[in-house]
């Protein structure tokens, strides 16, 4: 059953962990990346979340560390943009290395630095960290990167979007040049490629699905609707289609809280997850969603990054994303590892530019359907973002239009 994993060069210990996790055949990114990673090559990988990319770097790292020295020292570092992704990557390493003596630690903001410091003081082989917290530990002398043999940047595009480039440069300064580096990103624009080539040494390039494409197992659909009727339409979809688990994206933190409240008024259990919430509150919302206590999880783009929810079938874009690249990330939450999913976008008339930018980016025309009873009226009152501002100041709507234009132009360049 696991013969395909075996041909990639993985050892028996790992094959048994893989089998316990129920993986039967390697995914495309695993088939492509693992042999090169085991051979010590640098990698430049274009793969979205949901393709099995975590195991693609975790398995070779675990194998080479488990076969190396017994001395406990930090030899592999995985840098990720968000807390949720750090936790998720940590869990993957933990599960896959359960039959080895390797110790993995996760270090990210929003949780006690003291607890992390005491874990690090006991020694670890693998560290999963967000850039800011990693630098805190480095500057406090809690860790050294002197013995690092492998460095991974996961979701590098998002790290750049979040402004982590200076932090990444600081981290790189502390690493020795003789190391293996793996660079994973869902999207590749010029800025990312330039950064990758500065960091990597003669990398093997792997592109799992064409750049900026969306998972083929995801059905995509757009419902044009007045802005003010979106919450009602969402509640209707959840109820009439009996969705038990739907991940909904809003573009603002406030919007995510507001929508969770509105759905609750319609009797739909919902929770929001955004950057204003404590790590504990975010984790609780995620756990409640995973174990079925809440049906709708409302998230902002940053908060949703790295969420891994098994068998997620429905994703809804309540607001179209600010950046077309975010559409690819958002709908990557469904149709994971070959499962079927549906991604529905609720588009108000003033979001049409945003849709065009997305279609340009993914090079696909998204099907649109008017849902009976929710046809857009084009009435400005129904589509106003906010009450009109005082004269002489740029209205929210104008600002939004300007932003959409910028993004549409960016989309053109891609
Ligand atoms: P990732 O892209 O790393 O976020 O992985 C997405 C999901 O696919 C996770 O839930 C993994 O546990 C799962 N997964 C990874 N590799 C395989 C595989 N070879 N077969 C089945 N599921 C997998």
């Amino acid at each position: 059953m696991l013969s395909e994993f075996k041909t990639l060069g993985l050892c028996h210990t790992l094959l048994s962990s893989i089998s316990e996790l129920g993986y039967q055949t390697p995914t495309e990114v695993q088939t492509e990346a693992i042999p090169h990673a085991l051979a010590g090559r640098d990698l430049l990988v274009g793969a979205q979340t949901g393709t099995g990319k975590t195991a693609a770097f975790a398995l070779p790292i675990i194998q080479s560390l488990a076969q190396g020295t017994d001395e406990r020292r930090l030899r592999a570092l995985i840098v990720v943009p968000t807390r949720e992704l750090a936790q998720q990557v940590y869990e993957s390493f933990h599960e896959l290395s359960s039959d080895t003596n390797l110790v993995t630690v996760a270090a990210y903001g929003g949780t006690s630095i003291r607890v992390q410091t005491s874990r690090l003081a006991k020694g670890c082989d693998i560290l999963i960290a967000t850039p800011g917290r990693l630098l805190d530990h480095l500057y406090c002398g809690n860790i050294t990167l002197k013995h690092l043999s492998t460095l991974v940047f996961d979701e590098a595009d998002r790290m750049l979007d979040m402004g982590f480039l200076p932090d990444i440069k600081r981290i790189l300064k502390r690493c020795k040049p003789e190391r293996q580096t793996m660079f994973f990103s869902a999207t590749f624009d010029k800025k990312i490629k330039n950064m990758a080539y500065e960091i990597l040494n003669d990398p093997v390039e792997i592109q799992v699905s064409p750049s900026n494409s969306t998972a083929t197992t995801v059905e995509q659909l757009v419902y044009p609707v007045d802005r003010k009727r979106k919450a009602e339409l969402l509640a209707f979809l959840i109820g009439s289609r009996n969705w038990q688990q739907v991940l909904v994206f809003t573009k603002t933190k406030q919007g995510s809280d507001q929508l969770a409240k509105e759905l609750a008024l319609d009797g739909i259990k919902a929770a929001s997850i955004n950057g204003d919430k404590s790590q504990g509150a975010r984790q609780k919302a995620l756990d409640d969603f995973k174990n079925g206590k809440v049906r709708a999880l409302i998230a902002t783009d940053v908060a949703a990054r790295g969420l891994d929810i098994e068998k997620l079938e429905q994703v809804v874009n309540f607001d179209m994303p600010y950046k077309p690249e975010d559409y690819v990330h958002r709908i990557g939450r469904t149709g994971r590892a070959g499962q079927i999913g549906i991604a529905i976008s609720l588009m108000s008339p003033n979001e049409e530019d945003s849709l065009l930018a997305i279609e340009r980016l993914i090079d696909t025309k998204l099907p649109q359907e008017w849902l009976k009873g929710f046809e857009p009226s084009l009435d400005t009152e129904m589509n106003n973002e906010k009450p009109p501002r005082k004269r002489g100041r740029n209205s929210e709507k104008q600002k939004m239009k300007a932003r959409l234009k910028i993004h549409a132009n960016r989309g053109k360049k891609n």
Side-chain angles (χ1 to χ4, degrees), residues 5 23 25-27 30 48-54 88 308 336-337:
F5 275 110
Y23 301 174
T25 48
T27 64
Q30 291 161 4
Q48 323 166 196
T49 323
T51 53
K53 68 182 170 61
T54 314
Q88 184 194 312
D308 181 22
R336 321 207 72 185

Side-chain angles (χ1 to χ4, degrees), residues 185-357:
S185 186
T187 55
F188 274 102
D189 62 16
K190 236 180 165 177
K191 235 165 69 186
I192 307 246
K193 276 221 157 157
N194 287 346
M195 171 183 160
Y197 277 101
E198 262 180 48
I199 295 172
L200 299 167
N201 176 23
D202 186 24
V204 176
E205 284 193 38
I206 295 166
Q207 181 65 60
V208 174
S209 41
S211 182
N212 297 328
S213 75
T214 47
T216 46
T217 49
V218 180
E219 184 190 341
Q220 299 167 70
L221 192 57
V222 177
Y223 287 130
V225 59
D226 287 334
R227 203 186 73 80
K228 289 193 176 158
R229 297 200 64 203
K230 281 187 177 186
E232 199 188 330
L233 172 54
L234 177 61
F236 169 78
L237 289 172
I238 294 173
S240 63
R241 300 188 183 180
N242 197 21
W243 288 345
Q244 293 307 316
Q245 212 182 31
V246 54
L247 179 62
V248 183
F249 286 92
T250 59
K251 63 187 173 203
T252 65
K253 299 172 194 172
Q254 245 182 336
S256 67
D257 290 336
Q258 176 66 26
L259 180 58
K261 281 184 201 145
E262 283 179 48
L263 289 179
L265 290 177
D266 274 321
I268 295 164
K269 289 205 173 103
S272 57
I273 183 165
N274 60 49
D276 282 347
K277 307 240 158 173
S278 68
Q279 185 59 22
R282 289 202 223 180
Q283 194 60 48
K284 181 172 183 317
L286 184 59
D287 291 344
D288 285 349
F289 184 59
K290 279 187 175 181
N291 61 34
K293 282 193 198 148
V294 303
R295 277 168 90 176
L297 185 66
I298 324 293
T300 53
D301 289 292
V302 170
R305 194 72 182 160
L307 293 184
D308 181 22
I309 301 146
E310 267 176 48
K311 296 202 182 91
L312 185 58
E313 285 172 21
Q314 293 90 18
V315 166
V316 170
N317 295 312
F318 185 81
D319 298 314
M320 301 302 273
Y322 278 130
K323 302 193 332 183
E325 288 82 3
D326 281 336
Y327 179 82
V328 179
H329 292 304
R330 286 177 175 191
I331 79 163
R333 313 283 116 196
T334 178
R336 321 207 72 185
Q339 293 152 7
I340 304 293
I342 181 160
I344 288 181
S345 301
L346 310 186
M347 181 188 67
S348 59
N350 54 5
E351 290 177 312
E352 280 171 9
D353 287 353
S354 178
L355 177 68
L356 288 177

Side-chain angles (χ1 to χ4, degrees), residues 156-172:
D157 48 348
R158 181 48 59 119
M159 277 196 263
L160 285 199
D161 285 351
M162 291 169 77
F164 284 138
L165 187 59
D167 284 353
I168 288 170
K169 287 186 174 161
R170 287 183 197 111
I171 294 163
L172 283 166

Side-chain angles (χ1 to χ4, degrees), residues 6-17:
K6 212 168 168 184
T7 57
L8 300 179
L10 294 170
C11 63
H12 282 291
T13 314
L14 283 179
L15 292 177
S16 111
S17 307

